[in-house]
Amino acid sequence: MRVAVDFTWRDVGWIRLEAGKLRFAEVPDSPGVYRFDLGQTVYIGLDVEGSRSKLDFRHKASRLLVENAALSAARMAGAQVENL
């Protein structure tokens, strides 16, 4: 069995602080992997809202496959990675 995961990062804008709360840029209403560039560190996570993805993110194995591919790629590129 061979499994491949292919993705590219898309810049969707800045995060702002408004009235003491974080304000995020508008993004599509579909599942996806996100990355916050914090300078020396990147934070990578997964948003499972929406259901228009070819990959069914309702299953934990699918979510872990995509998220771990992104985490591995960042580490291989030399980034210090945070993931909670």
Side-chain angles (χ1 to χ4, degrees), residues 2-80:
R2 181 172 182 218
V3 176
V5 177
D6 186 34
F7 63 91
T8 56
W9 294 115
R10 183 174 54 166
D11 188 353
V12 296
W14 294 88
I15 300 172
R16 299 182 311 272
L17 187 61
E18 291 181 3
K21 295 183 180 181
L22 292 177
R23 178 79 173 169
F24 295 88
E26 294 292 323
V27 295
D29 184 24
S30 61
V33 177
Y34 60 85
R35 172 184 156 157
F36 296 139
D37 186 341
L38 306 171
Q40 294 287 330
T41 304
V42 295
Y43 178 84
I44 295 174
L46 185 67
D47 180 7
V48 297
E49 295 297 318
S51 60
R52 295 189 305 254
S53 175
K54 291 179 184 175
L55 184 60
D56 189 348
F57 277 16
R58 292 176 295 180
H59 299 287
K60 187 174 183 177
S62 297
R63 295 191 306 266
L64 291 175
L65 176 65
V66 172
E67 186 176 22
N68 283 309
L71 290 167
S72 295
R75 286 185 181 113
M76 288 175 19
Q80 180 180 340

